[in-house]
Amino acid sequence: MALLTPASWLKGLVAFLYPAQCRICQGSLSLEPRPYICNQCWEQIEFCGAQDTTSNWPGCRRSRSVTFYLPILREAIFLLKYEKKQVMAKHLADLLLQHPPSDFNFADYDLYVPIPLHKKRQRQRGFNQAELILKAVAKTRFLPIRTDLLARVKNTAPLSQLTSVDERIGNISGAFQLRYPEQIKDLRILIFDDILTTGTTLKEAVRVLEQGEPEYIEILTLSKTSSTEVEPPYTY
């Protein structure tokens, strides 16, 4: 049996005396394997399986999502993006590692491209959540991640401030710029983002990456809104 170190003993004592509460059910977290959300709640996350969410998007061969954007997953993403709890990136990455779409294969892509944030937004947040999750996955899977190919050159308004599809399309139009287009010719590219809502951001990213003439482009998001789910209150 492994001996407890002073640090782990103290951590256990503090957790016993002052147990944290689950952000979903307010139950005691005690010594849960992850912070903020208890096992019982975490196990209620709903997965998409092999569902293809593409709606005839020009240039995109296929789009998949791992989970549905329902309250538990929404809270986990909120903790990462808005409360800056970067430890959640590992646990969100675990969802992709442990529950990938059944027809998804990490080896099917030459490049993984996270949707970038504008430099002003990234300075405010301190990190890009899509990049952080991908890099957490890359600790156990080799992922050729490129963060320098797609640049966000327009500081778009938060999606929550836009009420119509036309507003969202106008907002994202011209937001991205492709750098080093010659480096993606005939390559297999996967675009990754944390949430798929209306798809306007991802469609624009596909359109811009197509300029480099890759073999194909596919999309993977950690979560997507279900057909019955209203627009998420937390967006870029």
Side-chain angles (χ1 to χ4, degrees), residues 111-229:
L111 292 178
Y112 284 73
V113 179
I115 287 290
L117 297 180
H118 188 269
K119 59 183 180 181
K120 181 178 180 181
R121 188 71 55 81
Q122 183 148 343
R123 280 199 304 268
Q124 292 172 342
R125 184 168 296 165
F127 56 88
N128 175 355
Q129 70 281 351
E131 179 183 340
L132 211 61
I133 294 168
L134 265 187
K135 287 184 175 179
V137 173
K139 290 181 178 179
T140 57
R141 296 271 189 161
F142 172 72
L143 301 185
I145 301 170
R146 290 289 298 270
T147 61
D148 59 336
L149 292 173
L150 195 62
R152 198 165 190 143
V153 295
K154 178 181 176 183
N155 191 17
T156 53
L159 298 182
S160 56
Q161 297 178 8
L162 308 175
T163 57
S164 73
V165 173
D166 288 342
E167 283 182 320
R168 291 186 174 208
I169 292 173
N171 180 57
I172 201 65
S173 179
F176 299 117
Q177 182 181 86
L178 177 60
R179 296 172 176 168
Y180 318 114
E182 72 283 355
Q183 295 185 16
I184 66 171
K185 183 175 175 59
D186 298 327
L187 297 186
R188 305 166 300 169
I189 296 177
L190 184 79
I191 301 174
F192 178 78
D193 205 5
D194 57 336
I195 307 170
L196 170 63
T197 53
T198 62
T200 51
T201 298
L202 290 161
K203 288 177 185 177
E204 180 68 6
V206 168
R207 186 189 70 79
V208 172
L209 282 169
E210 264 204 299
Q211 298 168 11
E213 301 180 358
E215 180 180 340
Y216 61 76
I217 300 171
E218 294 189 354
I219 288 169
L220 179 68
T221 63
L222 178 66
S223 62
K224 68 178 289 288
T225 55
S226 69
S227 58
T228 58
E229 179 74 1

Side-chain angles (χ1 to χ4, degrees), residues 61-126:
R61 194 173 79 161
R62 183 178 297 174
S63 175
R64 304 179 186 90
S65 298
V66 179
T67 70
F68 288 108
Y69 192 71
L70 295 172
I72 297 166
L73 201 283
R74 180 187 303 160
E75 184 66 24
I77 291 178
F78 182 86
L79 284 161
L80 172 62
K81 290 172 68 170
Y82 300 101
E83 295 194 14
K84 302 182 181 181
K85 310 296 188 185
Q86 295 188 44
V87 67
M88 293 305 299
K90 174 190 180 301
H91 302 293
L92 293 171
D94 285 344
L95 295 176
L96 172 53
L97 287 164
Q98 296 166 11
H99 304 277
S102 59
D103 58 348
F104 176 82
N105 190 330
F106 285 100
D108 285 347
Y109 310 97
D110 300 305
L111 292 178
Y112 284 73
V113 179
I115 287 290
L117 297 180
H118 188 269
K119 59 183 180 181
K120 181 178 180 181
R121 188 71 55 81
Q122 183 148 343
R123 280 199 304 268
Q124 292 172 342
R125 184 168 296 165

